[in-house]
């Protein structure tokens, strides 16, 4: 089995009189293909690039206007196997926005030229019986890469102490951890 990775396509959107917006995730709005058209090295499915055999290929966008500059991604699948060196389970119970957008824009600015910076922090808070969160499983490899294996067939998540955390769910649907009541 070769490694796989999530494919992310970002765009910069702007125009005359507009501040460019960079890093906009447009992955779900584009069609991806390999230049070779041969899936023996890498295949693309549901936003994932999956290694199928050793070799090199290039991922590109298809069906785009020829005037849109496109950057391709080179993919190299190698025969040296990366070995799993760690498994990490992460629970997310919610999120918090650190900086909210401004409630108004001054008359000297238009919506197209105003800016603000926001960040989101993922939460892990279980403060009472019955609280729960989604569990995510990551494999760390000896080559320094990490891969989300939460929805991989065959992954199983259990609790070391069901008195402290009850785990429900299955692969590939995913898992939930809940603080038992009582």
């Amino acid at each position: 089995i070769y490694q796989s990775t999530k494919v992310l396509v970002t765009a910069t959107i702007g125009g005359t009189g507009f501040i460019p917006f960079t890093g906009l995730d447009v992955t779900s709005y584009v069609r991806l293909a390999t230049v070779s058209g041969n899936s023996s090295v890498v295949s693309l499915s549901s936003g994932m690039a999956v290694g199928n055999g050793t070799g090199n290929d290039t991922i590109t966008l298809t069906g785009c206007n020829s005037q849109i500059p496109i950057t391709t991604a080179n993919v190299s699948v190698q025969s040296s196997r990366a070995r799993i060196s760690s498994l990490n389970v992460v629970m997310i119970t919610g999120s918090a926005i650190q900086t909210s957008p401004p409630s108004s824009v001054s008359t000297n600015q238009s919506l197209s030229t105003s800016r603000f910076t926001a960040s989101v922090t993922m939460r892990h808070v279980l403060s009472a019986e019955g609280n729960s969160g989604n569990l995510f499983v990551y494999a760390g490899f000896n080559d320094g890469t990490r891969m989300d294996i939460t929805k991989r067939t065959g992954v199983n998540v259990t609790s070391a102490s069901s008195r402290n955390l009850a785990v429900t769910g299955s692969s590939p649907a995913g898992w939930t951890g809940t603080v038992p009541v009582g």
Side-chain angles (χ1 to χ4, degrees):
I1 295 178
Y2 295 95
Q3 288 177 290
S4 62
T5 188
K6 190 176 233 176
V7 177
L8 176 67
V9 179
T10 61
T12 298
I13 297 176
T16 305
F18 290 91
I19 296 173
F21 183 79
T22 60
L24 180 64
D25 181 354
V26 295
T27 308
S28 61
Y29 302 103
V30 298
R31 287 180 296 174
L32 298 168
T34 57
V35 170
S36 72
N38 181 348
S39 64
S40 64
V41 174
V42 65
S43 59
L44 300 166
S45 176
S46 301
M48 297 293 291
V50 179
N52 297 321
T54 59
N56 298 301
D57 208 335
T58 303
I59 297 174
T60 189
L61 300 176
T62 62
C64 291
N65 181 320
S66 62
Q67 296 185 354
I68 297 173
I70 296 173
T71 303
T72 59
N74 296 318
V75 177
S76 176
V77 179
Q78 301 181 10
S79 62
S80 58
R81 294 186 183 246
R83 292 186 175 35
I84 294 176
S85 58
S86 66
L87 288 172
N88 299 291
V89 179
V90 177
M91 178 182 279
I92 297 177
T93 60
S95 60
I97 296 177
Q98 304 304 90
T99 305
S100 298
S103 58
S104 63
V105 177
S106 74
T107 55
N108 297 347
Q109 291 183 305
S110 70
L111 288 175
S112 64
T113 58
S114 64
R115 279 189 181 209
F116 74 95
T117 301
S119 64
V120 176
T121 301
M122 304 314 289
R123 289 187 176 163
H124 171 91
V125 178
L126 297 172
S127 58
E129 294 176 343
N131 285 172
S132 64
N134 295 319
L135 299 171
F136 299 89
V137 184
Y138 295 91
F141 294 90
N142 63 339
D143 64 358
T145 60
R146 195 176 323 198
M147 183 168 59
D148 181 353
I149 61 170
T150 304
K151 296 191 179 222
R152 291 286 181 119
T153 301
V155 173
N156 190 25
V157 177
T158 59
S159 176
S161 173
S162 59
R163 290 180 305 172
N164 296 324
L165 185 70
V167 176
T168 56
S170 63
S171 173
W175 294 273
T176 300
T178 304
V179 177
V181 176

